[in-house]
């Protein structure tokens, strides 16, 4: 508890108080929940923008669902999505139940939208986008209130464990053990981390993170120990005395001098109750840089290195201030990495939405030592959706960023365990392919300028309390502006609860 202040506050302290009061606190108003659907197909419309004001709003998730705090000062709710006619709903139409919003496809002939002497080519549009980056976007000296969600899933694509030798097993027992391993169905539960806070960046590109609330939704380790139950039974069968310790080698490499099976068999919860602020600031920085226009760190290669790409003008839509151009792009030269679709405001020539992924035959970081060491990995999937929203100051600020990557790991290695006292041996070979899917989402709830004095007044904490959830509970985030979770996350529950 803070001591009462008995002396005049410094300018920095007062500024920090004002920033926290005006910008960072949770929004405690009533939440409006709904879903955005295509009027004809009744299919969900992902990433539609839902706003009470131009500087503040949310988006629908991949299943079309959204939640947004009601704004009593606004006269209507604005819903829009690229390729659809926008819709405005008066406040009187917003009841307390779940709102269903239908959007009609905006079908306009490409050559009949605007009467001009010449329709600009896709290449001309993209050149103007590049020329006007500094006029349309302000990256430094900014403060953003954000909601961040990290979803991690591990999938076992292949698992083959072959027991070659065990001092305590007969041939029949070894054959039975190998069959049991082959029949295993290992289920690894996903992990979800949600963070609400403020992200600050000064004119020197230095950043700070101030967290308001953080939760982690994951299966507790004390339900199953470090290993799944089926594997545990096998471990107990092989290592009857869990107090023994073992030297562990893989080929020529020594991995452990004194591994105790007790560490695997005993049930324990290794989760921490704190969030490492520096680690999550690094994650958020990574997402922001990947979608920014600094060539050294950005993945927006198709904007910054246009000589590598082919562009095609696919369509033109009627936007609030002029035409919106839909442009597809694909590699023209070998150095190009991505293909996708862009939406450009024809008045400011600002990029307002992009969807892109690795082009066919392309991949990210990779290392192949399969023949030499029985190991390889490759980033096989990287895809993104980015949405910008025009602010009252004339700049375009980020509204939503999501990046998804899948990394594939392959291991085919021998493993030998030698008991330190009796010298009993276990020799086996492990071959497995694992897919790790890592999805990071950033929803920007508000953006504004911040001065050097305001930035310096902010003190960044090293850790923040992390609330651990063992099943999805909508009430935990009820009073806060967050992105509506997908149904898969909503169905998350503890082991044994009707899985």
């Amino acid at each position: 508890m803070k001591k009462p202040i008995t002396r005049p506050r410094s300018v920095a302290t007062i500024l920090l108080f004002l920033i926290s009061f005006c910008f960072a606190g949770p929004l405690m108003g009533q939440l409006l929940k709904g879903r955005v659907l295509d009027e004809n197909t009744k299919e969900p419309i992902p990433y539609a923008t839902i706003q009470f004001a131009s500087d503040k709003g949310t988006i629908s998730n991949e299943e079309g669902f959204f939640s947004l705090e009601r704004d009593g000062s606004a006269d209507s709710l604005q819903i829009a999505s690229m390729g659809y006619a926008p819709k405005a709903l008066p406040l009187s139409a917003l009841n307390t139940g779940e709102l269903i919003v239908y959007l009609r496809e905006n079908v306009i002939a490409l050559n009949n939208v605007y009467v001009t002497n010449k329709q600009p080519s896709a290449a001309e549009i993209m050149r103007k986008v590049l020329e006007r980056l500094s006029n349309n976007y302000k990256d430094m000296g900014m403060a953003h209130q954000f909601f961040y969600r990290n979803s991690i899933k591990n999938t076992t694509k292949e698992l083959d464990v072959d027991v070659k030798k065990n001092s305590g097993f007969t041939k029949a027992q070894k054959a039975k053990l190998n069959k049991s391993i082959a029949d295993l169905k290992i289920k690894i539960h996903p992990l979800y981390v949600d963070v609400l806070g403020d992200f600050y960046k000064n004119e020197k590109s230095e950043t700070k993170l101030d967290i308001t609330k953080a939760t982690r939704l994951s299966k507790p380790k004390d339900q199953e120990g470090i290993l799944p139950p089926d594997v545990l039974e096998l471990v107990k069968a092989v290592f009857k005395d869990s107090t023994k310790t073992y030297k562990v080698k893989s080929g020529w490499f020594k991995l452990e001098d004194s591994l105790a099976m007790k560490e695997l068999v005993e049930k324990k919860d290794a989760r921490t109750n704190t969030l490492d602020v520096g680690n999550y600031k690094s994650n958020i920085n990574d997402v922001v840089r990947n979608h920014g226009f600094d060539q050294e760190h950005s993945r927006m290669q198709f904007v910054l290195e246009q000589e590598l790409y082919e562009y095609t003008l696919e369509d033109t839509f009627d936007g609030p201030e002029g035409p919106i151009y839909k442009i597809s792009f694909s590699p023209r030269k070998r150095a190009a990495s991505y293909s996708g679709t862009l939406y450009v405001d024809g008045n400011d020539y600002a990029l307002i939405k992009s969807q892109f992924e690795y082009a066919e035959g392309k991949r990210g970081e990779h290392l192949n030592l399969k023949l030499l060491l029985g190991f390889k990995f490759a980033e096989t999937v990287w895809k993104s959706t980015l949405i910008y929203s025009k602010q009252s100051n004339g700049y375009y600020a980020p509204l939503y960023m999501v990046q998804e990557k899948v990394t594939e790991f392959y291991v085919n290695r021998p493993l030998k365990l030698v008991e330190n006292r009796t010298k009993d041996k276990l020799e086996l070979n492990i071959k497995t392919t694992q897919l790790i899917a890592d999805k990071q989402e950033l929803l920007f709830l508000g953006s504004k300028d911040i001065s050097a004095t305001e930035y310096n007044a902010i003190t960044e904490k090293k850790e923040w309390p992390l609330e651990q959830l063992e099943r999805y509970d909508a009430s935990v985030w009820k009073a806060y502006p967050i992105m509506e979770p997908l149904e898969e996350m909503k169905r998350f529950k503890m082991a044994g609860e009707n899985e």
Side-chain angles (χ1 to χ4, degrees):
M1 186 174 180
K2 293 183 179 179
K3 296 180 180 179
I5 298 175
T6 57
R7 55 182 173 77
R9 296 177 177 176
S10 67
V11 173
T13 302
I14 293 172
L15 285 170
L16 180 57
F17 172 78
L18 291 174
I19 293 170
S20 301
F21 180 79
C22 296
F23 187 72
L27 304 178
M28 303 301 289
Q30 185 181 9
L31 287 181
L32 172 70
K33 288 182 173 288
R35 196 178 193 192
V36 185
L37 302 175
D38 184 294
E39 185 177 79
N40 294 323
T41 67
K42 304 301 186 289
E43 292 293 319
I45 300 176
Y47 312 129
T49 58
I50 301 98
Q51 298 176 305
F52 280 111
S54 61
D55 289 0
K56 197 170 190 179
T58 189
I59 66 164
S60 58
N61 67 16
E62 293 171 34
E63 297 163 342
F65 291 104
F66 69 89
S67 60
L68 178 67
E69 188 205 13
R70 291 173 181 267
D71 185 350
S73 64
D75 57 4
S76 64
L77 179 69
Q78 311 289 328
I79 304 100
S81 182
M82 300 297 172
Y84 291 88
K87 180 173 284 189
L89 299 177
L91 291 185
S92 58
L94 308 180
N95 54 39
T96 56
E98 184 173 283
L99 180 68
I100 303 296
V101 181
Y102 293 100
L103 295 185
R104 182 184 297 115
E105 189 176 359
N106 192 358
V107 181
I108 302 176
L110 177 63
N111 296 322
N112 297 329
V113 182
Y114 297 96
V115 179
T116 59
N117 292 329
K118 181 183 177 183
Q119 182 80 24
S121 69
E124 289 171 332
I125 294 170
M126 292 306 299
R127 279 196 295 272
K128 290 183 180 180
V129 169
L130 183 60
E131 291 170 359
R132 301 190 186 185
L133 287 179
S134 60
N135 295 330
N136 289 325
Y137 307 98
K138 186 176 185 294
D139 179 44
M140 296 183 289
M142 294 296 295
H144 304 283
Q145 187 182 32
F146 71 87
F147 174 75
Y148 168 87
R149 175 170 290 142
N150 187 199
S151 310
I152 300 176
K153 300 176 188 176
N154 188 315
T155 303
T156 300
K157 187 177 178 181
E158 174 190 26
L159 176 61
D160 182 11
V161 181
D162 183 15
V163 178
K164 302 291 187 183
K165 180 179 180 182
N166 188 304
S167 299
F169 269 41
T170 66
K171 288 184 178 180
Q173 288 174 320
K174 187 179 77 170
K176 183 179 179 181
L177 179 59
N178 279 329
K179 185 179 185 307
S180 297
I181 294 174
D183 292 340
L184 273 178
K185 290 181 171 45
I186 297 177
K187 182 177 181 180
I188 302 175
H189 287 254
L191 165 72
Y192 304 95
V193 176
D194 287 350
V195 180
L196 178 71
D198 299 290
F199 180 73
Y200 306 95
K201 187 173 184 180
N202 66 11
E203 297 291 347
K204 299 177 182 179
S205 291
E206 298 168 335
T207 59
K208 291 181 181 180
L209 191 66
D210 185 20
I211 295 177
T212 303
K213 183 178 176 69
T215 63
R216 176 177 55 206
L217 177 61
S218 64
K219 187 175 182 179
K221 296 291 184 184
D222 56 12
Q223 288 187 29
E224 59 180 2
I226 294 176
L227 297 177
D230 292 339
V231 180
L232 263 182
E233 293 306 313
L234 294 172
V235 170
K236 290 177 181 178
V238 176
F239 306 100
K240 298 179 179 64
D241 185 351
S242 65
T243 63
K244 291 181 179 181
T245 62
Y246 296 79
K247 288 185 174 65
V248 184
K249 294 181 67 177
S250 178
W252 293 99
F253 302 101
K254 183 185 289 186
L255 304 180
E256 178 64 57
D257 271 323
S258 185
L259 173 67
M261 290 302 113
K262 187 177 180 181
E263 296 176 8
L264 297 179
V265 176
E266 278 192 345
K267 296 179 180 181
K268 59 182 179 179
D269 192 344
R271 299 171 302 176
T272 62
N273 294 319
T274 58
L275 182 143
D276 185 327
V277 174
N279 181 46
Y280 278 86
K281 182 175 75 171
S282 177
N283 289 350
I284 292 170
N285 253 325
D286 180 62
V287 177
V288 172
R289 286 176 175 177
N290 282 339
H291 297 90
F293 300 108
D294 177 359
Q295 190 163 343
E296 184 179 353
H297 302 104
S298 177
R299 287 186 182 250
M300 307 288 280
Q301 183 190 50
F302 43 86
V303 174
L304 301 170
E305 300 177 67
Q306 296 183 11
E307 69 279 3
L308 302 179
Y309 288 89
E310 294 279 4
Y311 301 94
T312 303
L313 181 59
E314 300 285 356
D315 210 342
T316 302
F317 305 113
D318 189 15
E321 296 182 1
I324 294 176
Y325 301 117
K326 178 182 178 182
I327 297 172
S328 64
F329 65 92
S330 58
R332 184 166 71 91
K333 295 185 178 180
R334 189 174 181 179
S337 299
Y338 306 101
S339 61
T341 304
L342 308 174
Y343 296 85
V344 176
D345 182 282
N347 187 47
D348 298 324
Y349 286 94
L351 177 65
I352 54 178
K353 183 178 180 180
S354 69
Q355 292 177 295
F356 64 98
E357 61 187 343
Y358 282 138
E360 185 176 355
K362 300 292 183 178
R363 59 181 176 173
E365 293 182 344
H366 58 279
L367 177 66
N368 190 347
L369 299 174
K370 185 176 180 179
L371 296 179
L372 183 63
L373 296 175
F375 172 79
K376 70 173 183 177
F377 81 90
E379 186 183 87
T380 57
V381 175
W382 200 97
K383 58 182 179 179
S384 162
T385 295
L386 165 67
I387 300 174
Y388 276 94
S389 176
K390 191 172 185 178
Q391 308 295 289
S392 56
N393 62 6
Y395 286 107
Y396 288 80
L399 176 60
Y400 177 71
M401 298 175 178
V402 58
Q403 64 181 43
E404 301 177 64
K405 70 176 181 178
V406 176
T407 306
E408 180 172 321
F409 292 89
Y410 169 88
V411 177
N412 186 359
R413 296 286 301 167
L415 200 64
K416 179 189 288 188
L417 290 86
V418 181
E419 203 275 321
N420 283 318
R421 184 171 54 84
T422 65
K423 304 304 179 183
D424 285 344
K425 295 180 181 178
L426 171 66
E427 296 180 16
L428 46 84
N429 193 84
I430 299 176
K431 182 168 72 171
T432 183
T433 302
Q434 301 287 325
L435 302 179
I436 299 178
D438 187 342
K439 180 180 180 181
Q440 297 184 80
E441 299 176 88
L442 263 179
L443 175 63
F444 294 83
L445 304 168
S447 301
K448 70 169 190 176
D449 294 336
I450 185 171
S451 68
T453 305
E454 290 173 314
Y455 179 87
N456 293 334
I458 298 163
T459 301
E460 182 180 79
K461 296 181 179 180
K462 292 185 178 180
E463 293 183 337
W464 185 264
L466 182 61
E467 184 178 354
Q468 176 65 49
L469 308 177
E470 297 177 358
R471 60 177 63 80
Y472 175 73
D473 183 356
S475 66
V476 173
W477 285 94
K478 186 177 181 180
Y480 297 85
I482 71 166
M483 185 172 182
E484 193 68 13
L486 298 178
E487 287 301 309
E488 180 184 42
M489 182 176 173
K490 292 178 181 178
R491 291 193 300 267
F492 189 98
K493 54 186 70 173
M494 296 174 65
E497 293 184 341
N498 300 320
E499 289 188 311

